[in-house]
Amino acid sequence: MFTNQPNWVNAIAAIVAIGFMNPGMVSAQQASQSFRVTVPASAQVVAPPAAAILHDLATAAQHFPLQTWSLQTNSPSGLVAEFSVNESFVNASDHAVKSDAELSIRVAATKGPGRWTTTQYLDHTSHAVGDNDAVVQVTSNAMGNADIELQVRFLNETIELPVGEYFTTVYCTLSMP
Amino acid sequence: MNVMRCAGVCALVLSISAVSIAAESEKRSNTAAANGPRRVTLTQTVEPSFHIEPIVHRFKGRRGTTIPFQFEIRSTGKAMNVTVLPVKLRQEHTGIILHETSGVAPDEIVFSSPTKFALDPGESQFIEGTVTIPLAKSNFLSFGVLVRDNGQASAEDDTSDDPSRVKAGVRFVTQYVLRIDIETGVKDLSQMDHLVFERARVMNSKGMPIAQTYLYNPTDFAFECAVRGTIQSSSTSRPTPFRMTLPSRVNLEGDERYLVRVMPKSRIMLSAPVDSLLFPGEQNLLLEVTNGRRALVDKSFAINVKPGDFPALETQLAYLGNELSVQPAQIQVGKLSGTKRSCNLRFMNNSIEPKTIELSVRDLEGNALSGVRLSSRDIEIKPGRSKTVRASLESIKDAKSARYGVVELLIRAGQNQSKQELPIAALFGRPPTPSVDIGELQSVETNGYTSFVMSVTNNGSCYVPVHAELQIAKQSGHALELADGFGRWLKPGETRELAFRPQEVLPAGDYQVSLNLQTAEDQEPFTQTLNIQLAPEVAETIAAEAESSVQAG
């Protein structure tokens, strides 16, 4: 079948067909009609807002508050959510000054038949050796909801780091397996 | 599940999350008062984001044709700043398809709707365009579209503007990888011959045999196919093929589950439970890439199965040597509620020679066990055939207690002769309460790998099934789940060592180890939780730290 129409078009076509049926013909021929509704696979995410901390200068590693992401899918094959950074924390006024970022995730709560698994739960950048990526991943194998707790850490070898504002971007990428 | 209930629970979880953040802020503020400026501020609660559908379009179309597509995006609660772009796709070994952050995006996709737009809360927008099917010799093509909500530049926080302080910020960006999958119907699949099975094995997964392989696609084409596995041995007369699946499709039903999709330059992992009887000895795992009934690529891998490699399988069927097996491996007949008065023993001869079996029933002292009748006491099974013997309970007026024994099997094949036993429980009445001694959980270091062992002793007078699960959790929350026992009966007076062997090295550190040991169905499980510190270079007996809790059933 050459299906280049969105599913909702098919659904509307079925409804129009009901409106134009002739009742007399139905009773005479014992006609039957089947109806099919295709529910498209979809996904939804509730993302936390941006977050900020002040470095307390007590330890080199600084935790951001836990960020809760709510994920939801009706896909029978589940959902993949990948959290990633593609650069370390960068000083806003001097981009050569960097501090590593660490990501870790945990499945905090689930609902529905899907089993949620952290396929990669911890990763960090190592800008000194050219590794500017960190990726953690959670997957589900069926429809359902989950709350995922993301922990972002600001890593530095020492607490002696230049003052200023450091930023990074965490991408949450959703896809179907 | 109803939606209203779901929404309520979600809101509750989010509220708890907000409280915990506030508490952390306060704690850090108190510390800050003592040691200088430090503060954590999170000024917003969770906002809803966006909804998009479908995530994957699937079309059929011939090479060279152009197909229109449409996705609908809806902002569910906040203003959005959306970017849409075509992206190159990559595939992980699990089969999951994601986008490549570097690499050239496909030029077959042309958007007719804006690729940058703003959405107000509750507003919808269609992402529309066309995809032109290239002249590729592939039966399957997949194109990626990335839809990104660019998020906010910064939280409205009240952290200090003092330029002498170090401040760190994180921006969260949400993006979807949408796909347009196309079946091209191309019949010339000669490029598929380049697919390579790199390695394969039959591994233990929770005591059962699982065939696993890695398939590499070195070409620039994507393919959809199926992969078939077969266990072959020189003494097997009836090899049974089984179908391999990608981890990402293992939960699907019907033929969809067995669809193998492999993207260009990708390596995927495929696995399947071994459906055929897996006998100890040297044999081959034959793997074949198939399209319809046609096998396109095949490779054979030698495997060596040892007795005890798959203990869960051995509780279901008993190996009687040289490709002869019987199912079940543990026989229970009874007249109690939930038991059956008879049990069929199915003998299967997979070898290339005939076998004869003499059967008799004995009690645990070696005397004849009264009350159990066998439908045959002497059978012959031809190669590739099976035979069934029924064990049934006789009607004995005064019998009111459980009786235990073995079905003795004297097996002859040519000049060779061997003896085997199957445990049998005849439940004329309720079995006595099991009495089991559970030894201390110990860690063992072997070549850098840490495993855990414990002994279990049956001090009672009845057979006792034993199954144990061990969860090893790291501080980060990642947990390994291991099992042993699998319900295999422990004879009266018998001691067995249960072993839990992680397939990965456990680095030094703190762990929480949780044991759950189940015996008879009506008995409370034995549970134990230990907080331990592992130093992998030293073999040690686990000494439970402060939070050790033991509940014996």
Side-chain angles (χ1 to χ4, degrees):
Chain A
M1 189 174 68
F2 190 91
T3 45
N4 59 358
Q5 287 182 323
N7 294 310
W8 59 267
V9 173
N10 296 332
I12 288 175
I15 293 165
V16 171
I18 303 168
F20 287 94
M21 278 173 61
N22 182 332
M25 285 177 65
V26 171
S27 59
Q29 299 177 11
Q30 290 285 309
S32 65
Q33 184 176 18
S34 61
F35 297 90
R36 186 175 64 178
V37 177
T38 303
V39 179
S42 65
Q44 186 165 308
V45 59
V46 178
I53 56 171
L54 278 179
H55 202 297
D56 65 8
L57 301 178
T59 57
Q62 299 283 303
H63 294 255
F64 282 79
L66 278 177
Q67 306 292 316
T68 302
W69 293 68
S70 296
L71 307 177
Q72 177 185 334
T73 182
N74 66 354
S75 164
S77 59
L79 181 74
V80 181
E82 192 174 87
F83 298 88
S84 61
V85 294
N86 52 28
E87 63 179 356
S88 306
F89 282 97
V90 177
N91 189 301
S93 54
D94 182 355
H95 288 196
V97 177
K98 295 180 179 179
S99 185
D100 283 320
E102 182 186 87
L103 304 179
S104 62
I105 50 170
R106 190 177 80 88
V107 179
T110 65
K111 296 187 198 82
R115 184 180 179 198
W116 295 78
T117 309
T118 50
T119 40
Q120 173 73 38
Y121 70 97
L122 178 71
D123 196 9
H124 63 83
T125 63
S126 300
H127 71 273
V129 295
D131 176 7
N132 291 311
D133 297 320
V135 180
V136 291
Q137 191 185 71
V138 61
T139 65
S140 75
N141 62 358
M143 59 183 287
N145 306 359
D147 288 340
I148 307 299
E149 286 181 350
L150 172 70
Q151 175 80 73
V152 182
R153 295 176 79 206
F154 178 90
L155 303 178
N156 205 53
E157 287 181 2
T158 68
I159 59 171
E160 303 297 327
L161 74 170
V163 295
E165 296 187 9
Y166 292 76
F167 288 100
T168 194
T169 301
V170 174
Y171 294 91
C172 171
T173 306
L174 301 175
S175 65
M176 293 284 170
Chain B
M1 175 179 303
N2 93 37
V3 174
M4 290 298 290
R5 185 170 143 215
C6 166
V9 175
C10 288
L12 178 63
V13 170
L14 298 178
S15 300
I16 289 168
S17 176
V19 169
S20 69
I21 289 167
E24 189 176 351
S25 300
E26 190 178 345
K27 183 177 152 192
R28 289 191 179 209
S29 297
N30 293 340
T31 317
N35 300 324
R38 65 200 67 177
R39 194 153 45 110
V40 177
T41 307
L42 184 67
T43 55
Q44 298 179 50
T45 53
V46 172
E47 291 181 9
S49 190
F50 65 103
H51 181 90
I52 196 161
E53 69 178 45
I55 304 297
V56 180
H57 266 304
R58 190 170 178 97
F59 300 119
K60 286 184 180 179
R62 291 182 185 158
R63 295 187 296 168
T65 56
T66 298
I67 298 176
F69 64 82
Q70 185 184 68
F71 297 96
E72 183 182 12
I73 177 171
R74 188 174 73 247
S75 170
T76 53
K78 68 167 187 173
M80 291 171 60
N81 189 16
V82 179
T83 304
V84 180
L85 63 160
V87 283
K88 186 180 175 183
L89 295 174
R90 66 184 165 90
Q91 188 176 29
E92 299 193 336
H93 75 276
T94 55
I96 290 169
I97 297 173
L98 292 166
H99 74 293
E100 192 76 78
T101 49
S102 58
V104 182
D107 55 8
E108 287 87 355
I109 290 180
V110 177
F111 293 106
S112 55
S113 58
T115 54
K116 287 190 177 178
F117 53 88
L119 274 184
D120 287 331
E123 204 174 40
S124 293
Q125 168 85 27
F126 287 107
I127 299 167
E128 296 172 321
T130 58
V131 57
T132 302
I133 305 176
L135 302 174
K137 282 188 179 179
S138 170
N139 62 352
F140 170 75
L141 297 162
S142 189
F143 299 96
V145 174
L146 191 73
V147 179
R148 175 181 294 164
D149 172 14
N150 292 300
Q152 300 168 359
S154 175
E156 295 297 323
D157 63 81
D158 62 350
T159 48
S160 172
D161 290 331
D162 183 349
S164 65
R165 292 181 183 171
V166 174
K167 178 183 173 183
V170 178
R171 188 178 70 156
F172 297 112
V173 170
T174 310
Q175 55 192 19
Y176 283 83
V177 180
L178 309 180
R179 289 207 323 267
I180 302 167
D181 290 355
I182 298 169
E183 289 177 51
T184 64
V186 166
K187 302 292 180 197
D188 177 7
L189 298 175
S190 53
Q191 287 292 326
M192 214 186 274
D193 291 343
H194 294 95
L195 294 177
V196 182
F197 288 109
E198 290 189 326
R199 56 185 188 273
R201 61 176 175 160
V202 177
M203 54 185 276
N204 174 329
S205 175
K206 294 194 172 174
M208 294 296 285
I210 303 285
Q212 187 189 71
T213 186
Y214 284 84
L215 181 68
Y216 178 59
N217 178 5
T219 75
D220 295 323
F221 305 104
F223 299 108
E224 283 190 342
C225 56
V227 173
R228 187 166 62 200
T230 312
I231 302 289
Q232 297 180 317
S233 98
S234 56
S235 56
T236 298
S237 55
R238 288 174 52 148
T240 312
F242 46 86
R243 295 192 283 179
M244 311 285 284
T245 55
L246 281 162
S248 62
R249 304 186 74 81
V250 78
N251 203 51
L252 297 180
E253 304 211 340
D255 288 342
E256 275 287 297
R257 176 188 171 101
Y258 302 105
L259 176 71
V260 174
R261 181 179 295 148
V262 54
M263 301 294 284
K265 312 286 187 202
S266 296
R267 179 176 286 100
I268 55 171
M269 185 179 79
L270 298 159
S271 58
V274 177
D275 289 341
S276 52
L277 301 177
L278 192 58
F279 291 90
E282 301 279 348
Q283 44 216 301
N284 289 316
L285 169 60
L286 173 67
L287 295 165
E288 297 168 289
V289 173
T290 63
N291 183 43
R293 290 181 179 177
R294 201 152 53 109
L296 299 165
V297 178
D298 65 72
K299 190 166 181 180
S300 195
F301 296 86
I303 56 170
N304 184 10
V305 178
K306 294 186 285 298
D309 275 358
F310 307 109
L313 182 66
E314 290 181 30
T315 60
Q316 296 172 20
L317 60 91
Y319 297 123
L320 304 178
N322 191 18
E323 307 281 326
L324 180 69
S325 66
V326 62
Q327 196 168 10
Q330 304 175 143
I331 306 156
Q332 179 178 285
V333 287
K335 60 179 187 181
L336 302 176
S337 166
T339 62
K340 291 184 177 176
R341 293 188 69 93
S342 66
C343 174
N344 286 335
L345 310 182
R346 185 168 182 267
F347 292 87
M348 181 76 211
N349 181 8
N350 268 38
S351 75
I352 52 175
E353 59 182 350
K355 305 274 173 74
T356 61
I357 305 170
E358 280 180 32
L359 302 95
S360 58
V361 189
R362 307 264 173 207
D363 66 17
L364 293 174
E365 281 73 46
N367 305 313
L369 179 68
S370 62
V372 177
R373 182 174 54 233
L374 297 173
S375 60
S376 302
R377 294 197 167 266
D378 196 347
I379 57 173
E380 181 177 351
I381 316 175
K382 293 177 181 171
R385 297 296 180 90
S386 63
K387 264 199 179 164
T388 299
V389 174
R390 192 171 63 254
S392 51
L393 216 57
E394 291 179 320
S395 294
I396 301 178
K397 241 184 190 177
D398 301 331
K400 286 182 181 170
S401 60
R403 299 178 182 183
Y404 299 95
V406 294
V407 174
E408 280 187 352
L409 307 170
L410 180 62
I411 304 154
R412 292 194 185 89
Q415 299 299 314
N416 299 324
Q417 181 173 302
S418 62
K419 264 190 180 177
Q420 296 265 356
E421 290 179 349
L422 303 175
I424 182 168
L427 304 181
F428 288 99
R430 296 204 65 78
T433 302
S435 169
V436 176
D437 266 3
I438 299 168
E440 172 179 63
L441 188 66
Q442 295 180 308
S443 72
V444 178
E445 301 295 331
T446 311
N447 301 326
Y449 285 85
T450 306
S451 58
F452 298 86
V453 296
M454 63 182 297
S455 65
V456 187
T457 303
N458 181 359
N459 291 326
S461 57
C462 60
Y463 286 126
V464 179
V466 175
H467 178 65
E469 293 180 352
L470 191 74
Q471 188 184 67
I472 306 166
K474 298 174 188 173
Q475 274 192 323
S476 58
H478 181 63
L480 294 173
E481 291 179 354
L482 306 166
D484 198 9
F486 307 107
R488 190 170 177 190
W489 294 354
L490 203 59
K491 281 190 294 191
E494 182 185 358
T495 297
R496 188 183 304 153
E497 187 175 82
L498 301 179
F500 309 92
R501 297 191 177 91
Q503 298 297 306
E504 59 186 76
V505 172
L506 299 178
D510 295 327
Y511 292 84
Q512 187 175 73
V513 178
S514 304
L515 173 74
N516 184 303
L517 188 144
Q518 180 77 48
T519 57
E521 276 180 20
D522 57 352
Q523 297 297 304
E524 285 293 315
F526 172 87
T527 62
Q528 188 176 38
T529 301
L530 304 171
N531 290 317
I532 61 167
Q533 194 170 38
L534 285 182
E537 70 280 5
V538 183
E540 61 183 348
T541 297
I542 293 174
E545 291 187 1
E547 289 182 33
S548 169
S549 63
V550 179
Q551 299 165 9

